[in-house]
Structures are given as C-alpha cells and as structure tokens.
Amino acid sequence: MIYPMNEARDYLLERAEEYHIAVKWAHLSPITPPGSSFEYRSVVMNLDWHRPSEIIFQFAHEISHVIHGDKGDVYYYHACYTGKESVEYKANVGAVKLLIPFYCQDTDIQCVNSANFMQAFHVPHYLSSIVSEEIKEYYAK
C-alpha cells in the first residue's frame, strides 16, 4: 500500500507536537538535507528535496534525533552510516519506531509486510531486521 504523504506527514507532526518539537518546512536548494537541533527542539525540512519520496522517513529521522537528545549543532539526515553505535543509525531506528504505529494502525497482522513498509517509506535496506522486529513488537502489545 502506498501511503499519502499528507497523512504520514500529519501523523509525524502530531508526534512532534507531543514531544514539543517545532517543525519548519522551507523551500531550500534541492540538495540541502533536512536538519534538527536538540538545543532548540526543532526540525527543518526541505520541501524541495530532490528525492521527495524520502521526505517522510527523513522527517521521522530528524524528530528521532530531537527525541533522543542528540546533542550537537545540527544533525543531517544524509550523514554517513558508521555502524550500529552511530547517532545516525540510532536516529534511523527511531524513525522506524515512529512510523510503525502509523503503518500498522487499523491493519490486521496478516496484511502487514515489512518489505512494503520499507518501500513505502524508503527505509534503508540495512534496517530490514529492525523493521521486522518492530512490526512483531507492535502486534505483541
């Protein structure tokens, strides 16, 4: 199933509000990645990103940085993946955890598919085991 960007965006905006995170949507250069700041509890998203299909996962990723208290000036979505202990990997895992409830809501477990989730939100392939675990955990509740 393809999820409309507006529904996913609105869902994430609600999560950001719950965590008191300000969100700014800006028209920037198509190669300017989104960023976040824990200090200012804010996220800046690029409406003109050259791969618009990635925006929802980027948004969840940036929210995750702020939720986890990742300190530093600004974290960028496209920083290098440097292993499971990296800040960027942990933000990607956090993004998956933010999006799983949206993806699974009102859906029977037999209809949920981790590959479809990854395709719908353009989740990096190295997170496939995390996606599967998080889907199982969601339905175990």
Side-chain angles (χ1 to χ4, degrees):
M1 174 179 213
I2 305 270
Y3 289 90
M5 181 181 159
N6 291 344
E7 288 181 29
R9 182 203 59 217
D10 290 350
Y11 170 82
L12 290 173
L13 282 168
E14 289 175 13
R15 300 297 74 74
E17 190 175 314
E18 286 175 14
Y19 287 97
H20 309 286
I21 299 169
V23 178
K24 168 88 171 149
W25 295 87
H27 291 281
L28 304 168
S29 163
I31 59 170
T32 302
S36 59
S37 169
F38 172 72
E39 181 181 354
Y40 296 104
R41 298 201 65 76
S42 63
V43 167
V44 176
M45 294 300 300
N46 183 356
L47 287 166
D48 299 322
W49 182 246
H50 65 283
R51 290 190 297 261
S53 58
E54 296 177 349
I55 289 175
I56 296 302
F57 191 73
Q58 288 176 343
F59 188 22
H61 173 101
E62 296 304 332
I63 291 170
S64 180
H65 274 305
V66 179
I67 290 170
H68 294 134
D70 295 336
K71 293 189 176 32
D73 291 337
V74 177
Y75 286 99
Y76 291 106
Y77 171 75
H78 270 70
C80 295
Y81 168 69
T82 56
K84 290 183 178 184
E85 295 305 313
S86 76
V87 169
E88 294 304 312
Y89 177 83
K90 290 176 182 178
N92 279 344
V93 170
V96 168
K97 290 179 179 189
L98 280 171
L99 287 167
I100 289 289
F102 173 77
Y103 175 77
C104 295
Q105 66 187 352
D106 304 322
T107 305
D108 193 74
I109 191 169
Q110 288 82 9
C111 299
V112 172
N113 180 299
S114 60
N116 289 345
F117 173 88
M118 294 181 70
Q119 181 180 4
F121 299 112
H122 294 267
V123 177
H125 71 279
Y126 64 83
L127 294 169
S128 62
S129 64
I130 299 295
V131 170
S132 295
E133 290 169 22
E134 290 300 319
I135 289 173
K136 286 177 192 168
E137 189 172 313
Y138 176 86
Y139 286 101
K141 293 178 184 177

